Amino acid sequence: MSDGIKIDDMRAKTLVSALQAVQARVTKAASGRNVLLVAVSKLKPPADILALYQDESVKQRHFGENYAQELMEKAAMLPKDIQWHFIGGLQSNKCKPLASTLPNLHTVSSVDSLKKATQLNLGRSSFPTSPPLHIHIQLNTSGEASKSGTVPGPDTTALAQHIIKECSHLKLAGLMTIGAIARSKATGEGEENEDFKVLKEERDRLVGELGLDGEAGLELSMGMSEDFEGAIGMGSDEVRVGSTIFGTRPAKEDFKVKGDVEEGKA
Ligand SMILES: *Cc1c(COP(=O)(O)O)cnc(C)c1O
């Protein structure tokens, strides 16, 4: 299946050393805590993913994607034990197809409505023997109108309760924020990013109100290329890093999923 995907040795070396460098930074910032590194491969070719999957020293398994169609196409041609994270803006009508197509979908990190949770739950019921699909509620921690996500407070509580009580094929695993990039860039050494602070406070509030302080608790998914070390310092359990591993991304309209075969060539 992934047999047709050709990996360029030079490219593989570059990717592996970039990932190793990020891993080292994550480990250092985490100072003994467990922090998951999701390699965000959106708009990057399947060969890049396979290179990091196959390398014996890194053995990367967790990859993040932003577009449902792109994720489904890539997942179909890549190994079935890859743990996929859907982290992008999600339309309600894509939830069920996504969850019912991919048994190795590990987490959907961008859930911000009851309807989306319900549809994902329906989709995941196609795989009754798979573990529940992990869900992160995406929060709009910056209050910008352009950002998706729930507002901290009662709406978020209601969504969390819905997932816990009504969605037996889902597991409420944590909270996610993107935050304001500008704010992140403006945050100096030793200063706390306001979005990460809001996410953490909201987690602590929910854990208290819903009595979730057992072994599982709720994890925090925050931190990207620009700010993952600061996020880990503020308690992040999962960072989503793309461009620092894979390099800058092409424009979405220029990207097509393909293996080694150029269109029009044999
Ligand atoms: C693209 C993306 C990332 C990774 O961003 P980089 O800055 O390339 O590390 C992380 N999270 C989300 C939700 C994204 O869309």
Short mmCIF file of all heavy atoms in Angstrom, two decimals, residues 91-148:
data_model
loop_
_atom_site.label_atom_id
_atom_site.label_comp_id
_atom_site.label_asym_id
_atom_site.label_seq_id
_atom_site.Cartn_x
_atom_site.Cartn_y
_atom_site.Cartn_z
N GLN A 91 -16.24 21.04 9.42
CA GLN A 91 -17.65 21.28 9.13
C GLN A 91 -18.46 20.12 9.69
O GLN A 91 -18.00 18.97 9.61
CB GLN A 91 -17.87 21.38 7.62
CG GLN A 91 -17.22 22.61 7.00
CD GLN A 91 -17.16 22.48 5.49
OE1 GLN A 91 -16.57 21.53 4.95
NE2 GLN A 91 -17.79 23.41 4.80
N SER A 92 -19.64 20.40 10.18
CA SER A 92 -20.47 19.33 10.78
C SER A 92 -20.70 18.18 9.81
O SER A 92 -20.67 17.01 10.20
CB SER A 92 -21.83 19.87 11.20
OG SER A 92 -21.69 21.00 11.99
N ASN A 93 -20.90 18.51 8.53
CA ASN A 93 -21.21 17.43 7.58
C ASN A 93 -20.00 16.56 7.23
O ASN A 93 -20.15 15.53 6.59
CB ASN A 93 -21.87 18.01 6.31
CG ASN A 93 -20.94 18.93 5.54
OD1 ASN A 93 -19.83 19.25 6.00
ND2 ASN A 93 -21.37 19.38 4.38
N LYS A 94 -18.80 16.97 7.66
CA LYS A 94 -17.60 16.14 7.42
C LYS A 94 -17.30 15.23 8.62
O LYS A 94 -16.46 14.34 8.52
CB LYS A 94 -16.38 17.04 7.19
CG LYS A 94 -16.42 17.85 5.91
CD LYS A 94 -15.92 17.02 4.73
CE LYS A 94 -16.12 17.70 3.40
NZ LYS A 94 -15.40 18.97 3.30
N CYS A 95 -17.98 15.46 9.73
CA CYS A 95 -17.63 14.74 10.96
C CYS A 95 -17.88 13.24 10.85
O CYS A 95 -17.02 12.42 11.17
CB CYS A 95 -18.42 15.30 12.15
SG CYS A 95 -17.86 16.94 12.65
N LYS A 96 -19.07 12.89 10.38
CA LYS A 96 -19.43 11.48 10.33
C LYS A 96 -18.58 10.72 9.31
O LYS A 96 -18.03 9.66 9.62
CB LYS A 96 -20.93 11.31 10.07
CG LYS A 96 -21.40 9.91 10.32
CD LYS A 96 -22.92 9.79 10.27
CE LYS A 96 -23.31 8.34 10.11
NZ LYS A 96 -24.38 8.17 9.14
N PRO A 97 -18.46 11.23 8.05
CA PRO A 97 -17.58 10.54 7.10
C PRO A 97 -16.15 10.37 7.62
O PRO A 97 -15.57 9.29 7.46
CB PRO A 97 -17.59 11.44 5.86
CG PRO A 97 -18.66 12.44 6.04
CD PRO A 97 -19.15 12.38 7.44
N LEU A 98 -15.62 11.39 8.24
CA LEU A 98 -14.24 11.31 8.74
C LEU A 98 -14.12 10.21 9.80
O LEU A 98 -13.24 9.34 9.72
CB LEU A 98 -13.84 12.66 9.34
CG LEU A 98 -12.41 12.81 9.81
CD1 LEU A 98 -11.46 12.82 8.62
CD2 LEU A 98 -12.24 14.12 10.61
N ALA A 99 -15.00 10.22 10.76
CA ALA A 99 -14.90 9.27 11.87
C ALA A 99 -15.24 7.84 11.45
O ALA A 99 -14.75 6.88 12.04
CB ALA A 99 -15.78 9.71 13.03
N SER A 100 -16.08 7.69 10.43
CA SER A 100 -16.47 6.34 10.04
C SER A 100 -15.53 5.74 8.99
O SER A 100 -15.65 4.57 8.64
CB SER A 100 -17.92 6.31 9.54
OG SER A 100 -18.04 7.14 8.41
N THR A 101 -14.60 6.54 8.48
CA THR A 101 -13.66 6.06 7.47
C THR A 101 -12.34 5.62 8.08
O THR A 101 -11.67 4.73 7.57
CB THR A 101 -13.37 7.17 6.42
OG1 THR A 101 -14.61 7.64 5.92
CG2 THR A 101 -12.54 6.64 5.26
N LEU A 102 -11.95 6.26 9.17
CA LEU A 102 -10.61 6.08 9.71
C LEU A 102 -10.60 5.47 11.10
O LEU A 102 -10.69 6.20 12.09
CB LEU A 102 -9.91 7.45 9.82
CG LEU A 102 -9.46 8.14 8.56
CD1 LEU A 102 -8.69 9.39 8.92
CD2 LEU A 102 -8.61 7.21 7.73
N PRO A 103 -10.43 4.15 11.21
CA PRO A 103 -10.35 3.56 12.55
C PRO A 103 -9.14 4.04 13.32
O PRO A 103 -9.13 4.03 14.55
CB PRO A 103 -10.27 2.05 12.27
CG PRO A 103 -9.88 1.91 10.84
CD PRO A 103 -10.31 3.16 10.14
N ASN A 104 -8.10 4.48 12.60
CA ASN A 104 -6.90 4.98 13.29
C ASN A 104 -6.89 6.50 13.45
O ASN A 104 -5.84 7.10 13.62
CB ASN A 104 -5.61 4.48 12.63
CG ASN A 104 -5.54 4.76 11.13
OD1 ASN A 104 -6.56 4.81 10.45
ND2 ASN A 104 -4.34 4.95 10.62
N LEU A 105 -8.07 7.09 13.41
CA LEU A 105 -8.18 8.49 13.82
C LEU A 105 -8.09 8.50 15.35
O LEU A 105 -8.89 7.86 16.03
CB LEU A 105 -9.52 9.07 13.35
CG LEU A 105 -9.79 10.55 13.63
CD1 LEU A 105 -8.77 11.46 12.96
CD2 LEU A 105 -11.21 10.92 13.18
N HIS A 106 -7.08 9.18 15.89
CA HIS A 106 -6.82 9.11 17.33
C HIS A 106 -7.56 10.22 18.07
O HIS A 106 -8.22 9.97 19.09
CB HIS A 106 -5.31 9.22 17.57
CG HIS A 106 -4.90 9.12 19.00
ND1 HIS A 106 -4.89 10.21 19.85
CD2 HIS A 106 -4.47 8.07 19.73
CE1 HIS A 106 -4.47 9.82 21.05
NE2 HIS A 106 -4.21 8.53 21.00
N THR A 107 -7.43 11.45 17.56
CA THR A 107 -8.01 12.61 18.25
C THR A 107 -8.59 13.59 17.24
O THR A 107 -8.00 13.80 16.18
CB THR A 107 -6.90 13.36 19.05
OG1 THR A 107 -6.29 12.46 19.96
CG2 THR A 107 -7.48 14.54 19.82
N VAL A 108 -9.72 14.16 17.58
CA VAL A 108 -10.20 15.33 16.86
C VAL A 108 -10.09 16.50 17.82
O VAL A 108 -10.71 16.52 18.88
CB VAL A 108 -11.65 15.16 16.34
CG1 VAL A 108 -12.13 16.45 15.66
CG2 VAL A 108 -11.72 14.00 15.35
N SER A 109 -9.24 17.47 17.46
CA SER A 109 -8.87 18.54 18.39
C SER A 109 -9.61 19.83 18.15
O SER A 109 -9.22 20.88 18.65
CB SER A 109 -7.37 18.85 18.27
OG SER A 109 -6.63 17.84 18.87
N SER A 110 -10.64 19.76 17.36
CA SER A 110 -11.24 21.01 16.93
C SER A 110 -12.77 20.92 17.03
O SER A 110 -13.48 21.30 16.11
CB SER A 110 -10.80 21.32 15.50
OG SER A 110 -10.77 20.12 14.72
N VAL A 111 -13.25 20.41 18.16
CA VAL A 111 -14.69 20.25 18.34
C VAL A 111 -15.23 21.45 19.13
O VAL A 111 -14.72 21.76 20.21
CB VAL A 111 -15.01 18.93 19.07
CG1 VAL A 111 -16.51 18.82 19.35
CG2 VAL A 111 -14.54 17.74 18.24
N ASP A 112 -16.20 22.13 18.55
CA ASP A 112 -16.72 23.32 19.22
C ASP A 112 -18.24 23.40 19.19
O ASP A 112 -18.81 24.46 19.41
CB ASP A 112 -16.10 24.60 18.62
CG ASP A 112 -16.35 24.72 17.13
OD1 ASP A 112 -17.07 23.87 16.57
OD2 ASP A 112 -15.85 25.68 16.52
N SER A 113 -18.91 22.27 18.90
CA SER A 113 -20.38 22.30 18.96
C SER A 113 -20.93 20.92 19.30
O SER A 113 -20.28 19.89 19.04
CB SER A 113 -20.97 22.77 17.63
OG SER A 113 -20.89 21.74 16.66
N LEU A 114 -22.13 20.90 19.87
CA LEU A 114 -22.81 19.64 20.20
C LEU A 114 -23.03 18.82 18.95
O LEU A 114 -22.88 17.60 18.95
CB LEU A 114 -24.17 19.91 20.86
CG LEU A 114 -24.25 20.74 22.14
CD1 LEU A 114 -25.67 20.67 22.71
CD2 LEU A 114 -23.26 20.27 23.18
N LYS A 115 -23.39 19.50 17.87
CA LYS A 115 -23.70 18.81 16.62
C LYS A 115 -22.47 18.05 16.10
O LYS A 115 -22.58 16.90 15.67
CB LYS A 115 -24.17 19.84 15.59
CG LYS A 115 -24.71 19.21 14.34
CD LYS A 115 -25.37 20.26 13.46
CE LYS A 115 -25.79 19.66 12.14
NZ LYS A 115 -26.15 20.71 11.17
N LYS A 116 -21.32 18.70 16.14
CA LYS A 116 -20.10 18.03 15.67
C LYS A 116 -19.78 16.82 16.53
O LYS A 116 -19.42 15.77 16.03
CB LYS A 116 -18.92 19.01 15.66
CG LYS A 116 -19.05 20.08 14.58
CD LYS A 116 -17.91 21.08 14.63
CE LYS A 116 -18.25 22.27 13.73
NZ LYS A 116 -17.21 23.33 13.77
N ALA A 117 -19.93 16.96 17.84
CA ALA A 117 -19.67 15.82 18.73
C ALA A 117 -20.62 14.68 18.41
O ALA A 117 -20.21 13.52 18.32
CB ALA A 117 -19.81 16.26 20.19
N THR A 118 -21.89 15.00 18.23
CA THR A 118 -22.89 13.97 17.94
C THR A 118 -22.56 13.24 16.63
O THR A 118 -22.64 12.00 16.56
CB THR A 118 -24.29 14.62 17.83
OG1 THR A 118 -24.57 15.28 19.06
CG2 THR A 118 -25.37 13.58 17.55
N GLN A 119 -22.17 13.98 15.61
CA GLN A 119 -21.84 13.38 14.32
C GLN A 119 -20.57 12.53 14.40
O GLN A 119 -20.49 11.46 13.79
CB GLN A 119 -21.69 14.48 13.26
CG GLN A 119 -22.99 15.19 12.92
CD GLN A 119 -24.05 14.24 12.39
OE1 GLN A 119 -23.80 13.45 11.49
NE2 GLN A 119 -25.24 14.29 12.98
N LEU A 120 -19.59 12.99 15.14
CA LEU A 120 -18.36 12.19 15.31
C LEU A 120 -18.67 10.90 16.05
O LEU A 120 -18.16 9.83 15.73
CB LEU A 120 -17.31 13.00 16.07
CG LEU A 120 -16.63 14.14 15.30
CD1 LEU A 120 -15.85 15.05 16.25
CD2 LEU A 120 -15.70 13.59 14.21
N ASN A 121 -19.54 11.00 17.04
CA ASN A 121 -19.93 9.83 17.82
C ASN A 121 -20.62 8.79 16.93
O ASN A 121 -20.30 7.60 16.98
CB ASN A 121 -20.85 10.26 18.96
CG ASN A 121 -21.13 9.14 19.94
OD1 ASN A 121 -20.20 8.51 20.45
ND2 ASN A 121 -22.40 8.88 20.20
N LEU A 122 -21.52 9.27 16.09
CA LEU A 122 -22.21 8.39 15.14
C LEU A 122 -21.20 7.71 14.22
O LEU A 122 -21.27 6.50 13.98
CB LEU A 122 -23.15 9.23 14.27
CG LEU A 122 -24.62 9.25 14.61
CD1 LEU A 122 -25.34 10.22 13.68
CD2 LEU A 122 -25.20 7.84 14.48
N GLY A 123 -20.26 8.49 13.71
CA GLY A 123 -19.25 7.95 12.80
C GLY A 123 -18.39 6.91 13.49
O GLY A 123 -18.15 5.83 12.94
N ARG A 124 -17.95 7.19 14.68
CA ARG A 124 -17.05 6.27 15.39
C ARG A 124 -17.77 4.96 15.75
O ARG A 124 -17.11 3.93 15.93
CB ARG A 124 -16.51 6.94 16.66
CG ARG A 124 -15.44 6.13 17.39
CD ARG A 124 -14.18 5.99 16.56
NE ARG A 124 -13.03 5.55 17.35
CZ ARG A 124 -11.76 5.74 17.01
NH1 ARG A 124 -11.46 6.34 15.88
NH2 ARG A 124 -10.79 5.32 17.77
N SER A 125 -19.09 4.98 15.83
CA SER A 125 -19.82 3.75 16.17
C SER A 125 -19.63 2.69 15.08
O SER A 125 -19.95 1.52 15.29
CB SER A 125 -21.31 4.04 16.40
OG SER A 125 -21.92 4.43 15.20
N SER A 126 -19.09 3.06 13.91
CA SER A 126 -18.75 2.07 12.88
C SER A 126 -17.61 1.16 13.33
O SER A 126 -17.37 0.13 12.71
CB SER A 126 -18.28 2.76 11.60
OG SER A 126 -19.23 3.66 11.13
N PHE A 127 -16.87 1.58 14.35
CA PHE A 127 -15.73 0.79 14.83
C PHE A 127 -15.92 0.47 16.31
O PHE A 127 -15.19 0.98 17.17
CB PHE A 127 -14.42 1.56 14.63
CG PHE A 127 -14.20 1.99 13.21
CD1 PHE A 127 -14.20 3.34 12.87
CD2 PHE A 127 -14.01 1.06 12.19
CE1 PHE A 127 -14.01 3.75 11.56
CE2 PHE A 127 -13.82 1.46 10.87
CZ PHE A 127 -13.81 2.80 10.57
N PRO A 128 -16.89 -0.42 16.60
CA PRO A 128 -17.23 -0.66 18.01
C PRO A 128 -16.08 -1.27 18.82
O PRO A 128 -16.06 -1.15 20.04
CB PRO A 128 -18.43 -1.62 17.94
CG PRO A 128 -18.43 -2.16 16.55
CD PRO A 128 -17.71 -1.18 15.67
N THR A 129 -15.12 -1.91 18.15
CA THR A 129 -14.03 -2.52 18.91
C THR A 129 -12.83 -1.59 19.05
O THR A 129 -11.88 -1.90 19.76
CB THR A 129 -13.56 -3.84 18.27
OG1 THR A 129 -13.16 -3.57 16.93
CG2 THR A 129 -14.67 -4.87 18.25
N SER A 130 -12.85 -0.45 18.35
CA SER A 130 -11.76 0.52 18.50
C SER A 130 -11.92 1.26 19.81
O SER A 130 -13.03 1.40 20.32
CB SER A 130 -11.79 1.55 17.37
OG SER A 130 -11.47 0.96 16.14
N PRO A 131 -10.81 1.75 20.37
CA PRO A 131 -10.94 2.61 21.55
C PRO A 131 -11.74 3.86 21.18
O PRO A 131 -11.83 4.21 20.00
CB PRO A 131 -9.49 2.97 21.89
CG PRO A 131 -8.67 2.62 20.71
CD PRO A 131 -9.42 1.59 19.92
N PRO A 132 -12.34 4.51 22.18
CA PRO A 132 -13.11 5.72 21.85
C PRO A 132 -12.23 6.77 21.19
O PRO A 132 -11.03 6.84 21.44
CB PRO A 132 -13.60 6.21 23.22
CG PRO A 132 -12.84 5.47 24.24
CD PRO A 132 -12.33 4.21 23.61
N LEU A 133 -12.84 7.54 20.32
CA LEU A 133 -12.14 8.64 19.65
C LEU A 133 -11.91 9.77 20.65
O LEU A 133 -12.84 10.21 21.32
CB LEU A 133 -13.02 9.12 18.49
CG LEU A 133 -12.57 10.36 17.71
CD1 LEU A 133 -11.21 10.14 17.06
CD2 LEU A 133 -13.63 10.72 16.65
N HIS A 134 -10.66 10.18 20.78
CA HIS A 134 -10.34 11.27 21.71
C HIS A 134 -10.82 12.60 21.15
O HIS A 134 -10.67 12.87 19.96
CB HIS A 134 -8.84 11.34 21.98
CG HIS A 134 -8.36 10.24 22.88
ND1 HIS A 134 -7.28 10.38 23.71
CD2 HIS A 134 -8.84 8.99 23.10
CE1 HIS A 134 -7.11 9.26 24.40
NE2 HIS A 134 -8.04 8.39 24.04
N ILE A 135 -11.37 13.41 22.02
CA ILE A 135 -11.89 14.71 21.62
C ILE A 135 -11.22 15.80 22.46
O ILE A 135 -11.11 15.69 23.68
CB ILE A 135 -13.42 14.78 21.87
CG1 ILE A 135 -14.15 13.71 21.05
CG2 ILE A 135 -13.95 16.19 21.57
CD1 ILE A 135 -14.09 13.89 19.55
N HIS A 136 -10.77 16.84 21.77
CA HIS A 136 -10.40 18.08 22.45
C HIS A 136 -11.47 19.12 22.10
O HIS A 136 -11.79 19.28 20.92
CB HIS A 136 -9.04 18.60 21.98
CG HIS A 136 -7.89 17.75 22.39
ND1 HIS A 136 -6.70 17.74 21.71
CD2 HIS A 136 -7.73 16.89 23.43
CE1 HIS A 136 -5.86 16.91 22.30
NE2 HIS A 136 -6.45 16.37 23.34
N ILE A 137 -11.96 19.79 23.09
CA ILE A 137 -12.82 20.93 22.81
C ILE A 137 -11.92 22.10 22.45
O ILE A 137 -10.97 22.41 23.18
CB ILE A 137 -13.68 21.29 24.04
CG1 ILE A 137 -14.64 20.14 24.37
CG2 ILE A 137 -14.46 22.59 23.80
CD1 ILE A 137 -15.50 20.39 25.61
N GLN A 138 -12.20 22.69 21.29
CA GLN A 138 -11.41 23.87 20.90
C GLN A 138 -12.03 25.12 21.51
O GLN A 138 -13.22 25.37 21.39
CB GLN A 138 -11.35 24.02 19.37
CG GLN A 138 -10.48 25.20 18.96
CD GLN A 138 -10.32 25.35 17.46
OE1 GLN A 138 -10.74 24.48 16.68
NE2 GLN A 138 -9.73 26.45 17.05
N LEU A 139 -11.19 25.89 22.19
CA LEU A 139 -11.66 27.13 22.80
C LEU A 139 -11.15 28.35 22.06
O LEU A 139 -9.99 28.37 21.62
CB LEU A 139 -11.23 27.20 24.27
CG LEU A 139 -12.24 26.49 25.19
CD1 LEU A 139 -11.73 25.16 25.61
CD2 LEU A 139 -12.61 27.36 26.35
N ASN A 140 -12.01 29.31 21.98
CA ASN A 140 -11.59 30.62 21.48
C ASN A 140 -11.14 31.42 22.69
O ASN A 140 -11.95 32.04 23.38
CB ASN A 140 -12.75 31.29 20.75
CG ASN A 140 -12.34 32.63 20.16
OD1 ASN A 140 -11.28 33.17 20.49
ND2 ASN A 140 -13.19 33.18 19.31
N THR A 141 -9.84 31.37 22.96
CA THR A 141 -9.32 31.99 24.18
C THR A 141 -8.96 33.45 23.97
O THR A 141 -8.71 34.17 24.93
CB THR A 141 -8.05 31.25 24.65
OG1 THR A 141 -7.17 31.08 23.54
CG2 THR A 141 -8.39 29.89 25.23
N SER A 142 -8.92 33.89 22.72
CA SER A 142 -8.49 35.26 22.45
C SER A 142 -9.67 36.20 22.20
O SER A 142 -9.49 37.41 22.14
CB SER A 142 -7.54 35.30 21.25
OG SER A 142 -8.20 34.82 20.10
N GLY A 143 -10.87 35.61 22.04
CA GLY A 143 -12.05 36.44 21.82
C GLY A 143 -12.10 37.08 20.44
O GLY A 143 -12.99 37.88 20.16
N GLU A 144 -11.18 36.70 19.55
CA GLU A 144 -11.22 37.25 18.18
C GLU A 144 -12.39 36.63 17.43
O GLU A 144 -12.57 35.41 17.45
CB GLU A 144 -9.94 36.89 17.42
CG GLU A 144 -8.68 37.51 17.94
CD GLU A 144 -7.46 36.82 17.36
OE1 GLU A 144 -7.22 35.65 17.74
OE2 GLU A 144 -6.79 37.42 16.54
N ALA A 145 -13.12 37.47 16.71
CA ALA A 145 -14.29 36.98 15.98
C ALA A 145 -13.89 35.97 14.91
O ALA A 145 -14.65 35.06 14.56
CB ALA A 145 -15.04 38.15 15.36
N SER A 146 -12.66 36.09 14.38
CA SER A 146 -12.25 35.22 13.28
C SER A 146 -11.87 33.81 13.74
O SER A 146 -11.71 32.92 12.92
CB SER A 146 -11.03 35.85 12.59
OG SER A 146 -9.96 35.94 13.50
N LYS A 147 -11.72 33.60 15.02
CA LYS A 147 -11.28 32.29 15.52
C LYS A 147 -12.48 31.42 15.85
O LYS A 147 -13.46 31.89 16.44
CB LYS A 147 -10.43 32.47 16.78
CG LYS A 147 -9.06 33.05 16.49
CD LYS A 147 -8.01 31.94 16.38
CE LYS A 147 -6.86 32.32 15.48
NZ LYS A 147 -6.11 33.48 15.99
N SER A 148 -12.37 30.12 15.51
CA SER A 148 -13.44 29.23 15.93
C SER A 148 -13.15 28.77 17.36
O SER A 148 -12.13 29.09 17.95
CB SER A 148 -13.59 28.06 14.98
OG SER A 148 -12.34 27.61 14.55
#
